[in-house]
Amino acid sequence: MEKWKSLGLPQKVLLVILALSTLVFSVLYALIGRQTGIQYGDDFLRFSQTEDGKAYSGRAKGQDLVFTVAPDQSVTCRWGDVTHGPYTVIYDDTAVPRDSQLTGVLTGVEVWEGNTRLFRGGWAGERFSVLVAEDGGPVYDSFHASAGAAPSVGIILRLSAGPALVSRGAVEFYLVGLFVAAAAVVSVLFTDALFRWDLRFRIRDPEGAEPSEWELLGRSFGQIALTVLAIVCYSLSLSGLS
C-alpha cells in the first residue's frame, strides 16, 4: 500500500491498464483458445460435431459460411443465402495420371456434384494446392473462393478427407505479452531501485544520486512503451493460430 501511495498518477494509470488488459485478454484467450477449426484464407472456421455430421462455420468476406460434411463424407456449402452441393468424392486408383512426375505420390480421385463430374485425376493431399488432371495437366487450386461462389475442388477434397484442425489463438504471443507486462510492472514499482542498482557499477555513491529530467523522461517513455507492447502481444495472441 505504501508503494502504491508513493507512485505518481501516470504510474498508477499504467499499472491499472496493465492489470485490466492482462485480466481481459486472459479471459478472452481462455475462451478463444478452446476453439478448434481450420484456417480458410485469412479467416477461421470453427469445427463442431452436429447431428448432420461435421460442420466448419464462421464468417468469410463479410458473409456467414458453413461447410457440412455428412457421415458419408459428402460436402455441402452454404455461403450467405446460397447453398452449393452436396459434393461427393470417389477414390479411384485408375484416375491417377500415369505420365506425371507426381504419379508416385498422387491419390486417384473424382469429385462430383450430383450427376456432374467436376474433376478426375490425382490429388497429393491436404498440404498441397495443386491437383493433376487425368490427362496430366496441372489444375492449380486453392483452399478458398470468392464470396458466394461455389467451393473449389481442393476445398471439397480437404473437407471430405478431414482436414487437420488448429487451435485459435497463438500461445507464444500471449506468453510474451505476460512477460512484457511483468517487466512493465517491475519497471514502475521498482524504478528507483533499478536506477541505483545500475549506478552501483559506475559511481561510488549511487544512493546519493538524483535522476535528471532526461532520466525521468526516459523512464516514462520506457514504461509506456512496455505497456503498449504488452497490449499488442495480447491482441496478436487472439488473432493467431496454433
Side-chain angles (χ1 to χ4, degrees), residues 91-182:
Y91 291 90
D92 183 355
D93 291 338
T94 64
V96 176
R98 300 306 174 187
D99 56 352
S100 171
Q101 295 179 346
L102 298 175
T103 296
V105 297
L106 294 175
T107 299
V109 293
E110 288 185 347
V111 178
W112 292 75
E113 181 180 13
N115 296 322
T116 302
R117 188 171 68 187
L118 304 178
F119 176 80
R120 175 178 168 84
W123 181 48
E126 180 184 352
R127 294 180 57 189
F128 299 92
S129 59
V130 59
L131 307 170
V132 182
E134 185 180 24
D135 61 7
V139 179
Y140 293 95
D141 202 272
S142 63
F143 194 41
H144 58 279
S146 55
S152 67
V153 171
I155 297 172
I156 298 166
L157 286 168
R158 290 173 174 89
L159 292 175
S160 178
L165 299 179
V166 296
S167 297
R168 192 173 189 179
V171 66
E172 61 273 15
F173 282 113
Y174 176 72
L175 294 177
V176 171
L178 286 177
F179 177 81
V180 175

Side-chain angles (χ1 to χ4, degrees), residues 189-234:
L189 293 179
F190 304 102
T191 182
D192 285 331
L194 292 171
F195 170 70
R196 302 189 190 288
W197 180 83
D198 181 58
L199 290 179
R200 290 178 59 188
F201 302 96
R202 294 185 285 174
I203 65 175
R204 290 188 176 137
D205 184 21
E207 298 302 323
E210 292 295 330
S212 66
E213 294 298 325
W214 183 256
E215 168 67 22
L216 295 175
L217 181 62
R219 289 182 186 180
S220 298
F221 177 80
Q223 292 162 3
I224 293 173
L226 287 174
T227 301
V228 172
L229 180 59
I231 294 174
V232 169
C233 289
Y234 286 148

Side-chain angles (χ1 to χ4, degrees), residues 50-72:
T50 69
E51 295 181 356
D52 298 326
K54 300 175 182 178
Y56 304 85
S57 60
R59 286 187 65 82
K61 301 187 183 299
Q63 296 189 40
D64 291 332
L65 173 63
V66 180
F67 285 102
T68 302
V69 183
D72 63 358

